[in-house]
Amino acid sequence: MESCSVRDSAAALFKGAALTAVFSYLFYRSIAAFFVLIPLTLVLSRRFAGKQRKKEKDRLLFQFKDGILALAASLRAGHSAENAFVDAAEELALLYGREAPMTREFRRVEARTGMNVPLEQAVAEMAGRCGLQDIRTFSEVFAAARRTGGELGRMILDTVQTISGRIEVREEIETLLRGRQYEQMVMKMVPVFLLIYMDLTSPGYFSVLYETVFGRSVMTICFALYIGAWFLADRIADIQV
């Protein structure tokens, strides 16, 4: 789960190429500009893919929280750790479906223990596949508790509380930023819509900017400032929790 699927990568590349094509037309009116801007396509594609990965990891973390909550409930009911993972997998299947990422991960843990793999090793493998720090921390604490005979139910509940606190803080920050992010998106699109509007209502009005060396230099400076402002705005709004 560390990397995007082929489909997600292809979608990100398509979005980057489409956006580069729009920029090439609006700022240069040139097909050649699209090929010159191929590095920008790759940068945009990586950003789109990164945002998609972040969404997937956030969704995975939400599901993981519910999974270990079900795990703790099963342990408190007196079930063994191995059976608790079976119960948690069933609970996740009811909540998110059998094809949900975390449901499949708990099923893999169940399958690995059925092959006589130690449970703590199966959990560590799950943490490695997911690539989330919270799950890695859970795996390490889980393994330590198994070795020392610690109370798994209490340990899992402590982990749930920690993860829940992080998620709640993230939700509060996202709620506060949502309005600003919408304004940011509108501001990003204003120059694009302005150029399109002028092109449709006054054909040839900006011809001097596309047909002379000076005009192309001005458009290049404007484009560089626009892209720089775009990336800077994304960086400011990217708050890690």
Side-chain angles (χ1 to χ4, degrees):
M1 293 190 183
E2 285 285 356
S3 59
C4 283
S5 65
V6 174
R7 183 175 61 183
D8 291 338
S9 298
L13 183 61
F14 175 79
K15 289 179 183 178
L19 197 55
T20 302
V22 171
F23 291 153
S24 300
Y25 173 78
L26 291 178
F27 287 92
Y28 295 102
R29 296 289 198 276
S30 170
I31 296 177
F34 174 81
F35 295 100
V36 174
L37 294 175
I38 283 179
L40 177 62
T41 298
L42 301 178
V43 172
L44 292 173
S45 299
R46 289 183 61 184
R47 294 179 74 86
F48 288 134
K51 289 181 179 180
Q52 181 61 31
R53 281 196 298 270
K54 184 177 182 300
K55 289 181 181 178
E56 291 174 355
K57 288 186 175 183
D58 287 345
R59 183 168 61 248
L60 199 64
L61 189 59
F62 275 102
Q63 295 178 8
F64 176 70
K65 183 197 71 172
D66 290 332
I68 58 177
L69 188 61
L71 194 65
S74 183
L75 288 170
R76 284 188 165 186
H79 297 170
S80 67
E82 288 79 5
N83 288 332
F85 268 93
V86 176
D87 295 339
E90 290 295 334
E91 185 69 21
L92 286 172
L94 291 174
L95 290 173
Y96 300 106
R98 295 190 175 275
E99 296 304 316
M102 192 50 65
T103 303
R104 293 200 302 267
E105 289 299 333
F106 272 62
R107 290 293 189 195
R108 286 182 183 178
V109 171
E110 177 186 345
R112 291 288 285 165
T113 55
M115 299 167 61
N116 296 322
V117 174
L119 180 57
E120 51 268 33
Q121 178 181 335
V123 174
E125 291 171 354
M126 177 182 72
R129 288 191 298 269
C130 293
L132 292 174
Q133 183 57 46
D134 286 309
I135 302 181
R136 281 195 291 265
T137 300
F138 169 80
S139 170
E140 293 168 1
V141 177
F142 180 83
R146 292 272 288 183
R147 287 195 302 268
T148 60
E151 186 181 344
L152 288 175
R154 181 181 58 80
M155 177 272 295
I156 290 174
L157 285 176
D158 290 343
T159 305
V160 169
Q161 291 174 356
T162 300
I163 294 175
S164 297
R166 288 168 58 86
I167 291 175
E168 289 173 3
V169 171
R170 182 184 290 115
E171 288 178 336
E172 290 176 3
I173 291 175
E174 288 180 351
T175 299
L176 293 172
L177 289 178
R178 194 166 292 122
R180 297 298 181 185
Q181 289 173 342
Y182 177 76
E183 293 174 3
Q184 179 191 109
M185 181 180 67
V186 172
M187 292 303 295
K188 286 178 181 178
M189 300 308 298
V190 165
V192 174
F193 287 139
L194 180 60
L195 287 174
I196 294 175
Y197 174 77
M198 293 300 296
D199 191 44
L200 293 175
T201 58
S202 303
Y205 184 78
F206 287 139
S207 296
V208 67
L209 295 176
Y210 302 113
E211 298 173 358
T212 65
V213 174
F214 177 77
R216 290 172 182 167
S217 300
V218 170
M219 292 301 282
T220 298
I221 294 172
C222 292
F223 180 57
L225 292 173
Y226 175 68
I227 292 297
W230 182 312
F231 288 167
L232 179 60
D234 283 347
R235 186 179 182 85
I236 292 173
D238 185 21
I239 299 178
Q240 301 294 330
V241 181

